[in-house]
Structure formats: C-alpha cells, structure tokens
Amino acid sequence: MALDDFDRELIAATQGGLPLVARPYEAVGAMLGVPGERVRERLAEMLASGLVRRIGAVPNHYRLGYTANGMSVWDVDDEQVDALGARVGALTFVSHCYRRPRHAPAWPYNLFAMLHGRSREEVERQAGEIAALLGTACTGHEILYSTAILKKTGLRLPET
C-alpha cells in the first residue's frame, strides 16, 4: 500500500504517541491543519487495512507498582500448544502470549507469556496458575525476570 503525503504526515505526527490531552485526534488535526474527525477516520482506515496494527496505551509497569516483570517460558506439547496458548493468553494477568520455535537442546521452550506483579511471589503464583492450566502437556518452564527498563518503540518512518 502506497502512502500519500497526508498518511506520511499523520504517521510522523503520531508515531511517538498521541498527545496526552482530552481530545488527542483534534490536537493532531490542529498540527496537520485538518479536522480531528479526519485524523480519527484515517487512523481507523489504516487499522482496518492492516497498515497500522494497533493504537493503544503503553503503560509504565514500574510507575504502576508492577516491579516484578517476568517472561514465563514453557515447554508445551506441540500438538496442544496453540489451543493451550490461547487459554493462557486469555488470562487477565498475562499481558502478551505467543508461540516461538524451539532451539533444542539449549532452548526447549515454545510458549511465552509475559507476567507482571508487585512482587516475585505474585508472579510465581501466576506462573503456578499457568502450570495448572497446561497440566501434563507442559514438561518444563522458567521465569526470566526483567532487570532493566527498555524503551519500547515501533517502526519509525524515516524523515523525507
């Protein structure tokens, strides 16, 4: 899909995040010289076409008190991983969940689920719930705790 000049301006204006104001589309529209409704409509079209995957808030877990953040990794039977992964991903305490290929023998894990808690004990309790859900389909797991905050950003269009 080719981007026109307005699309490039809109992406450039929003790729660092929407303004933290009561009416963010109107604020972006004012920067671009168009009504806020045009911004909202075009972003909705970009979402529907797959050009933009999502628009959402990215919270700072640490500021919210979630200082124990761990990627839980699971060795799940390949015949069951998709169905069980969907169930794990639906748990309220899992922020994201996905399947990845194994790299045996060093890395036997094929299911990843990010957990956030106010303590390691809370994260370990969450992992226990996942282990119970996976049952005998799971033969091992680990929790890899975060040790640093990394800035999360998506693709950035180059300036033209």
Side-chain angles (χ1 to χ4, degrees):
M1 170 181 270
L3 299 177
D4 63 22
D5 289 341
F6 177 71
D7 289 342
R8 287 189 174 281
E9 290 175 9
L10 179 57
I11 291 169
T14 58
Q15 67 186 359
L18 291 172
L20 297 176
V21 297
R23 301 182 66 85
Y25 297 132
E26 283 75 9
V28 172
M31 289 189 299
L32 301 177
V34 299
E37 184 62 16
R38 176 67 183 124
V39 169
R40 190 200 61 75
E41 287 172 355
R42 185 60 187 133
L43 287 173
E45 290 166 359
M46 289 177 169
L47 280 168
S49 73
L51 181 63
V52 171
R53 286 191 303 178
R54 68 186 173 104
I55 297 173
V58 180
N60 181 322
H61 301 102
Y62 292 87
R63 285 190 180 172
L64 294 173
Y66 294 92
T67 56
N69 303 290
M71 177 60 74
S72 63
V73 294
W74 306 85
D75 180 2
V76 179
D77 175 70
D78 290 323
E79 298 295 319
Q80 300 178 62
V81 68
D82 290 335
L84 289 170
R87 292 179 60 197
V88 170
L91 295 170
T92 59
F93 53 82
V94 173
S95 65
H96 49 284
C97 180
Y98 46 89
R99 182 180 184 176
R100 289 287 184 257
R102 304 170 193 276
H103 293 284
W107 192 257
Y109 308 110
N110 61 345
L111 183 66
F112 294 56
M114 190 67 195
L115 308 175
H116 305 279
R118 296 183 188 280
S119 67
R120 285 190 178 210
E121 292 79 18
E122 183 178 357
V123 170
E124 289 167 15
R125 181 193 53 74
Q126 294 168 350
E129 288 186 44
I130 293 173
L133 186 153
L134 296 175
T136 59
C138 179
T139 57
H141 84 277
E142 293 184 45
I143 302 172
L144 311 171
Y145 286 99
S146 301
T147 59
I149 300 174
L150 303 175
K151 179 160 175 54
K152 297 180 259 184
T153 60
L155 174 68
R156 301 287 190 233
L157 289 182
E159 292 188 27
T160 56

